[in-house]
Amino acid sequence: MATLKAVRGTRDLLPPETALWNYVDETARDVFTRYGFGEIRTPIFEDTALFARGVGEETDIVSKEMYTWQDRTRADSDSAQSLTLRPENTAGVVRAYIEHKLADTGMLQKLFYIGPQFRRERPQRGRYRQFWQIGAEVLGPAWSGADSALRDAEVLEMLSTFLNELGVKGWKLEVNSVGSSTDRPKYIAALREALAPVKDRMSADNQRRAETNPLRVLDSKDAGDQEIIDGLPKIADFLDETSKEHFAQVLAALDACGVAYTVNPRLVRGLDYYTRTTFEFTVPDGSGLGTQNALLGGGRYDGLSELLGGPKAPGIGFAIGEDRLILTLQAQEAVAKEQKLDAFIAPMGVERNAAALALAQELRQSGLSVEVGDGSFRLKKSFEAADKLARTMVIVGEEEVSSGILTVKDFSAGEQTKVPRAELVSFLRA
Ligand code: HAM
């Protein structure tokens, strides 16, 4: 019989690697909490219309990459609902913001999330069909300060702190402004006009983009098209005064906080909802990501809530590709090697199993990490297992049980010591 495997583009995460994932999650929770964020958990599948409206029909994500299916018809209705595994979480968070009337609090909402997303992309290193994002959204009514440039800079400064606390080396922040929802159509029209006479000389992909979504031509990596792309109009020349002023304030606040950045006039990003500030953090070549070097991306949006039937709620957010962050940390060896357990308890003979388990219980309750062997193991096998897993081995033999004095082998010091049971916890902690 053919063996079943994880579906293409998905993968299992196993220990000890999962410890690194948990460490990254904990660091995110810790840092984001310091900036006043709270966690939101939204469903993994949503009504397909949420993404069609919220992310945009013409985006690659919605037009090609979603896992969508018709749900079973309900008894009380004759049409089946179309459902989709979330390809990203900004639309879901804004839906929840509207559904729970968070606007009525009048307060700025600072929400973060950690969880899997699904896109049917061509799998490669750093690109999966089920991948994890750690993201956040800051949104609220305009009077809550949600559209202030201070929020953009705060988010970017928080991300730089997060990456630094994790020890990510050599990250780069690129920023741009894609203008307001009135600047963008003007710019897109100018792009279309500039592309019309030259697009026949471009790659098939870019010819298609020039028709459907000209902004996407700008972040194309097609080497043969770069000269044409460099000659296209720049969004900076189409910004109105308020967008220009907003962008200048973001950059000034980043300067004040000492966060280094580069302005990349071609950074438009692939989702329809962006207005004004957009950004991406990348890591240098050799950080384990190959060509997928965008660690995270995000930007400001205005109009998304209204598109989903809600009140005006400008916001800014980001999503970190957690798979990519983990690959980077591993390649850069930024994190300490796996931690060993405090002790391995080796019962000598199956009659000592109960005593060994009771000792393990006591040690674990006092906060030590402990593994128990088995009385059927020969001493040599216990030593080998203990040396792999733990810093020390505690022998539980007949003599140890009757005398209450345990034999402890310390692997790093290469010493064997007799320790009274009452002193064992403090001995192992030292
Ligand atoms: P995005 O740029 O589509 O933005 O995704 C953010 C990050 O998710 C990327 O920079 C990348 O690290 C990671 N990512 C995307 N696709 C994959 C994949 N197939 N495999 C592995 N990692 C991947 C968003 O999703 C927006 N919702 C971000 C946002 C929040 N903007 C405003 N608020």
Side-chain angles (χ1 to χ4, degrees), residues 61 88-90 113 119 121 126-128 131 133 136-137 269 271 273-274 294-299 301 317-321 324:
I61 294 179
E88 63 96 59
N89 212 20
T90 305
Y113 54 85
R119 295 183 194 175
E121 294 194 84
R127 190 160 76 193
Y128 309 99
F131 61 99
Q133 284 187 338
E137 310 296 337
R269 303 199 21 87
L271 296 86
Y273 47 62
Y274 292 115
L295 211 53
L296 72 97
Y301 43 89
F318 63 84
I320 302 165
R324 296 183 186 180

